[in-house]
Amino acid sequence: MSDSSKTGSDLTEAALFYHEHPRPGKLEIQAIKPLGNQRDLALAYSPGVAAPCLAIADNPALAANYTSRGNLVAVISNGTAVLGLGNIGPLASKPVMEGKAVLFKKFAGIDVFDIEVAQTDVEKFVDAVSVLEPTFGGINLEDIKAPECFMIESKLRERMKIPVFHDDQHGTAIIVGAAVRNGLDLAGKKIEEAKIVASGAGAAALACLNMLVSLGAKRENIWVTDIEGVVYEGREALMDEWKAVFAQKTDLRSLDQVIDGADVFLGLSAAGVLKPGMVEKMGKGPLILALANPNPEIMPEDAKAVRDDVVMCTGRSDYPNQVNNVLCFPYIFRGALDVGATTINEEMKRAAVEAIAGLAREEPSDVAARAYGGKTETFGPNYLIPSPFDQRLILRIAPAVAKAAMATGVATRPIEDFTAYLDRLNRFVFRSGLIMKPIIQNASKDPQRIIYAEGEDERVLRAAQVLIEDNIAKPILVGRPDVLQQRCERFGLRIRPDVDFEFVNPQDDPRYREYVDEYFECVGRKGMPPNAARTVVRTNTTVISALAVRRGDADAVICGLEGRFIRHLRDIKQVIGVCETARDLSAMSLLINSQGAIFLSDTFVTEDPTAEEISEMANLAAEEIRRFGIEPKIALLSLSNFGSRDTASSRKMREALEMIWKRYPELEVDGEMHGDSALSVELRERVMPGSKLKGEANLLLFPNLDAANIAHNLLKVSTQALHVGPILLGTAKPAHILTPSVTSRGVVNMSALASVEAQTRSAG
């Protein structure tokens, strides 16, 4: 079996497990209002529910105030054109529709019901969907084959007074429009004069061409080819009214014949369609959008082998300029829903194009630069369009779409205060739960060598396979080679020691004596005789791993999956030590749940920190948080709420606050305060109007280890949060001590963070 076949098999098994456990599917419905007593029940249902019912009956627009309709979209398909799977039917399409729903929620906070309709007749499908208008604020049509998709969307737009958007067409078209806008401008060309050649004439391709016409392209400059060759006047095979719009009066019949002098190639067809010889015939500085998936019409390296002036876009995440619908569809709906738009018109789509193109031209923000290790892409051949995970997308596209809806008269609830609206979108960006994405993306740019003390642990082995496949880190596993081999086979993993990853055999390593000498240098004057040092270096895998990092044989260490945290901490502190800018080590935990993400410190190390230590923790934690592309907002917690109690711990937190204000004036921090004041602006304003902390805190500092650890564990379980950490702060070299409860996913996340930290240390 080939490596690619094994990889595909591994991914299939992992995907099936992911969809089945711990509960089948990817979605659930949750109540957002309390139902804790009889009065709550009376308000939620009978008799209280009569009040909003009657109000909506009198004024239907109030449904947006009293129900979820204004934030609810239907993702609807009949399964006739699913991804690259074809006509697999509505039931088999459900995992895809659930996936689309997850993207809406994660990227834009939009709730979704996925609806799979067992109907291929256009009129019956339209009848089934149109009667759902009272339920939804918008309709996203998905994976419906052409030409039926054109007819269905057109008829639904006529019958419904809410946005109807076929993402396969318009989402792709909007991103292509932005890429072509920037690509032609980079080449010094005008869209009105550009020759555009398309391979593929399905729904997405035709929508892209219509968008380019809307942006100024001339129909006479557009050449379309499909499986039958050139679309020309008089052709009868595989023609329809939508394709016929682009028919040329010509005797040319093949892609090879029409590609000569082309400024833009748009591929939405099949792998390998565009040959290197055809690329040679294209005009100066050609823009190629090869969007067939998983393999494009031509691979970027093959195109650049024959033309060094070519600019490439693909649908793949492993090349620059990825054309991915997630760049726009969540944010277009966000803007449309927020103004109660009755449709998504051409002006709104063009506004999205300009917003995406404009974002690629923006100077990267300081926060974004820090999130990507100070090496963010800037506008150019490898950065025509933003990354799908650029957190600023929602801040640019949603307001632009909303303003276009208002300007064209389709907004039923115009936004009056755009400053407040942007503030609300900004708060959502932090709560989106995509916090690990910039870390993982940056780690993959320059994977570092990470050594794992518990290399034989199943979680480490599973994580190692992900890290290798996704190019996040270069694992070095401490473990016996025969055991590593056997366990890889037992767990069904395709990675193998000394083939896919390095290992350190604690029973037989040629560097043993050197490691012993290094270790004795660290602990010889701390009560550790030479014989004991030799035993430790043979048996203590955390010490072995830490020594590897100290000597430069690895870039970062991860340990702690077995044994007590305090023992690992002692070893890390003895061997790796504390950095010059810190007095001592501390630990920060990141919790990611459905409400977003929050950092807590110090959750694992310092039992009763002094005000001085809390001040230092705040600065170290803030530096780490900025790696995620987030500006820290810090709350110092206490049983006292801005002086309401006078205790030793509350006095300590006040003293720490004064130190932070004096030493780190750039930090946004306030205290001492209650936990609810930290997370609720409304509650904080009641007791401390004009607080130096604006918005919700994202970093909580506690007066002692008991409070921090208890809060961390309660929040982790009660909110079903993903724990990233503990993130060890203040070490001389990257080192992190996990806990025995960590999952393989947690190991992957911490490995990515360690890799980015190692990148920064080596660069700085």
Side-chain angles (χ1 to χ4, degrees):
M1 181 182 289
S2 67
D3 287 345
S4 60
S5 297
K6 290 181 180 178
T7 302
S9 177
D10 291 339
L11 183 61
T12 297
E13 291 181 13
L16 292 174
F17 184 89
Y18 172 89
H19 280 79
E20 184 177 0
H21 300 283
R23 293 166 55 189
K26 297 188 285 281
L27 300 170
E28 68 176 359
I29 295 175
Q30 288 187 339
I32 59 172
K33 298 294 171 65
L35 286 171
N37 54 41
Q38 185 62 38
R39 180 168 179 77
D40 290 342
L41 188 60
L43 292 172
Y45 199 55
S46 181
V49 74
C53 289
L54 293 172
I56 294 169
D58 290 338
N59 181 4
L62 291 176
N65 298 66
Y66 299 135
T67 75
S68 63
R69 182 177 185 264
N71 194 52
L72 186 62
V73 166
V75 171
I76 301 180
S77 179
N78 61 7
T80 53
V82 179
L83 296 174
L85 305 176
N87 186 357
I88 61 175
L91 183 59
S93 77
K94 188 171 178 63
V96 179
M97 302 311 123
E98 284 190 354
K100 192 76 173 226
V102 170
L103 295 180
F104 266 109
K105 187 66 174 180
K106 283 293 184 182
F107 284 92
I110 294 171
D111 295 315
V112 167
F113 289 159
D114 64 288
I115 299 176
E116 292 74 36
V117 180
Q119 184 56 257
T120 57
D121 180 86
V122 169
E123 292 298 335
K124 291 179 180 178
F125 186 95
V126 170
D127 288 341
V129 174
S130 61
V131 296
L132 300 175
E133 183 170 339
T135 303
F136 297 102
I139 302 291
N140 184 92
L141 299 173
E142 192 78 13
D143 292 349
I144 302 171
K145 73 182 183 72
E148 288 88 342
C149 60
F150 302 122
M151 297 180 277
I152 287 171
E153 184 187 42
S154 176
K155 290 176 181 292
L156 286 174
R157 285 167 63 95
E158 291 175 3
R159 290 172 61 169
M160 305 182 80
K161 299 301 181 185
I162 58 174
V164 177
F165 188 81
H166 186 210
D167 182 48
D168 298 329
Q169 295 181 57
H170 308 301
T172 304
I174 287 166
I175 304 160
V176 164
V180 171
R181 165 80 79 199
N182 280 346
L184 290 177
D185 188 69
L186 195 65
K189 300 176 182 179
K190 296 180 180 180
I191 193 169
E192 296 85 358
E193 301 170 357
K195 178 179 179 180
I196 300 168
V197 176
S199 173
L206 294 177
C208 290
L209 296 176
N210 285 324
M211 172 57 72
L212 295 179
V213 170
S214 178
L215 293 173
K218 302 298 184 185
R219 290 187 188 273
E220 57 267 27
N221 294 336
I222 296 175
W223 297 76
V224 179
T225 65
D226 60 11
I227 196 170
E228 287 288 328
V230 173
V231 174
Y232 60 89
E233 289 184 6
R235 196 182 100 172
E236 296 181 358
L238 293 181
M239 290 296 290
D240 55 55
E241 60 184 285
W242 299 277
K243 194 185 299 186
V245 170
F246 294 99
Q248 291 275 16
K249 188 174 183 179
T250 180
D251 293 327
L252 302 179
R253 293 294 182 264
S254 70
L255 174 62
D256 184 56
Q257 291 174 331
V258 299
I259 197 71
D260 189 49
D263 300 292
V264 178
F265 170 81
L266 173 63
L268 284 151
S269 52
V273 167
L274 186 65
K275 308 300 181 184
M278 299 179 188
V279 176
E280 289 184 284
K281 295 182 181 181
M282 294 182 70
K284 182 180 179 182
L287 173 62
I288 295 176
L289 298 101
L291 307 183
N293 263 322
N295 298 312
E297 283 79 3
I298 188 169
M299 296 298 290
E301 54 268 27
D302 294 334
K304 292 177 181 179
V306 296
R307 293 289 295 269
D308 58 9
D309 62 341
V310 71
V311 176
M312 288 286 303
C313 298
T314 70
R316 293 170 58 131
S317 60
D318 52 347
Y319 289 97
N321 298 323
Q322 182 192 13
V323 175
N324 187 330
N325 287 13
V326 81
L327 263 168
C328 68
F329 75 79
Y331 317 121
I332 291 171
F333 269 98
R334 181 71 280 160
L337 292 173
D338 289 340
V339 294
T342 57
T343 187
I344 295 176
N345 57 31
E346 288 302 310
E347 291 83 358
M348 294 161 73
K349 287 185 275 187
R350 283 200 300 270
V353 169
E354 298 300 337
I356 295 169
L359 178 56
R361 295 169 174 273
E362 288 186 26
E363 290 294 323
S365 67
D366 291 341
V367 173
R370 285 194 294 268
Y372 292 98
K375 299 178 182 178
T376 53
E377 292 284 357
T378 55
F379 180 65
N382 290 328
Y383 194 69
L384 291 182
I385 48 179
S387 160
F389 294 95
D390 192 316
Q391 295 178 330
R392 297 169 294 174
L393 284 165
I394 191 172
L395 305 177
R396 302 295 184 271
I397 299 174
V401 169
K403 289 177 180 178
M406 291 164 58
T408 54
V410 298
T412 61
R413 300 188 306 276
I415 294 171
E416 296 180 1
D417 186 346
F418 267 91
T419 300
Y421 180 58
L422 282 170
D423 183 60
R424 177 159 65 88
L425 293 178
N426 261 304
R427 290 199 302 273
F428 168 76
V429 167
F430 175 71
R431 291 197 298 266
S432 68
L434 294 167
I435 192 169
M436 285 302 302
K437 190 61 190 180
I439 297 292
I440 291 173
Q441 184 172 336
N442 198 40
S444 65
K445 292 179 180 179
D446 183 18
Q448 300 290 295
R449 301 166 301 164
I450 301 180
I451 187 166
Y452 299 84
E454 295 87 7
E456 296 175 358
D457 190 285
E458 178 182 356
R459 292 163 293 178
V460 171
L461 289 166
R462 292 191 181 279
Q465 178 158 301
V466 174
L467 296 169
I468 293 167
E469 288 177 352
D470 293 350
N471 200 37
I472 295 171
K474 298 175 181 176
I476 304 172
L477 276 54
V478 179
R480 295 158 292 178
D482 56 333
V483 175
L484 293 172
Q485 176 79 22
Q486 291 167 6
R487 293 190 177 181
C488 285
E489 293 173 359
R490 183 199 310 169
F491 302 140
L493 304 176
R494 69 179 184 85
I495 57 173
R496 295 294 181 267
D498 224 14
V499 176
D500 302 294
F501 62 86
E502 295 182 41
F503 66 89
V504 175
N505 183 358
Q507 297 177 344
D508 182 21
D509 190 276
R511 299 164 294 184
Y512 171 69
R513 292 186 182 279
E514 297 171 13
Y515 274 39
V516 170
D517 292 343
E518 189 86 28
Y519 184 55
F520 187 71
E521 183 180 326
C522 298
V523 298
R525 294 184 180 275
K526 298 177 182 178
M528 178 73 69
N531 285 341
R534 284 192 285 271
T535 301
V536 169
V537 175
R538 184 74 77 189
T539 59
N540 189 321
T541 57
T542 297
V543 169
I544 295 169
S545 302
L547 287 168
V549 173
R550 178 185 172 94
R551 286 168 43 86
D553 297 334
D555 302 308
V557 55
I558 287 181
C559 59
L561 283 80
E562 299 172 4
R564 295 184 180 276
F565 185 93
I566 195 69
R567 176 177 67 80
H568 295 285
L569 182 66
R570 177 202 65 205
D571 294 336
I572 293 296
K573 197 169 181 179
Q574 286 180 340
V575 178
I576 290 182
V578 180
C579 68
E580 295 179 356
T581 58
R583 296 171 184 266
D584 204 348
L585 304 182
S586 60
M588 177 173 68
S589 292
L590 164 60
L591 295 179
I592 307 172
N593 57 32
S594 59
Q595 299 301 310
I598 193 163
F599 298 86
L600 302 87
S601 186
D602 174 7
T603 48
F604 281 88
V605 177
T606 312
E607 290 187 20
D608 189 15
T610 65
E612 184 96 19
E613 288 171 326
I614 291 171
S615 170
E616 187 175 273
M617 285 177 193
N619 185 52
L620 289 172
E623 289 179 1
E624 192 70 30
I625 290 172
R626 291 191 183 104
R627 293 189 201 278
F628 294 86
I630 296 172
E631 271 302 318
K633 293 176 174 288
I634 309 170
L636 273 59
L637 301 188
S638 171
L639 83 163
S640 172
N641 207 23
F642 297 102
S644 65
R645 297 283 295 274
D646 187 25
T647 65
S649 67
S650 62
R651 289 193 295 271
K652 178 173 68 175
M653 299 307 277
R654 282 177 224 147
E655 185 181 351
L657 180 67
E658 293 294 334
M659 290 181 180
I660 296 170
W661 280 348
K662 182 178 180 180
R663 297 176 180 176
Y664 315 111
E666 74 281 3
L667 295 181
E668 185 179 329
V669 56
D670 211 340
E672 79 291 2
M673 70 179 77
H674 288 170
D676 53 1
S677 294
L679 300 178
S680 169
V681 178
E682 181 182 358
L683 291 176
R684 192 186 322 136
E685 284 294 316
R686 291 179 188 174
V687 294
M688 183 51 63
S691 169
K692 292 188 177 182
L693 174 62
K694 307 300 180 184
E696 301 171 7
N698 54 33
L699 170 59
L700 307 180
L701 291 175
F702 295 83
N704 58 53
L705 183 58
D706 280 347
N709 192 267
I710 290 169
H712 162 257
N713 284 302
L714 284 173
L715 283 171
K716 182 175 68 173
V717 175
S718 63
T719 65
Q720 298 181 339
L722 169 66
H723 176 215
V724 179
I727 303 168
L728 200 59
L729 306 176
T731 55
K733 293 180 180 291
H736 296 288
I737 306 167
L738 308 186
T739 62
S741 63
V742 72
T743 63
S744 62
R745 180 185 181 195
V747 176
V748 170
N749 283 333
M750 282 306 300
S751 299
L753 188 59
S755 189
V756 171
E757 186 180 350
Q759 290 174 9
T760 306
R761 300 279 188 102
S762 63

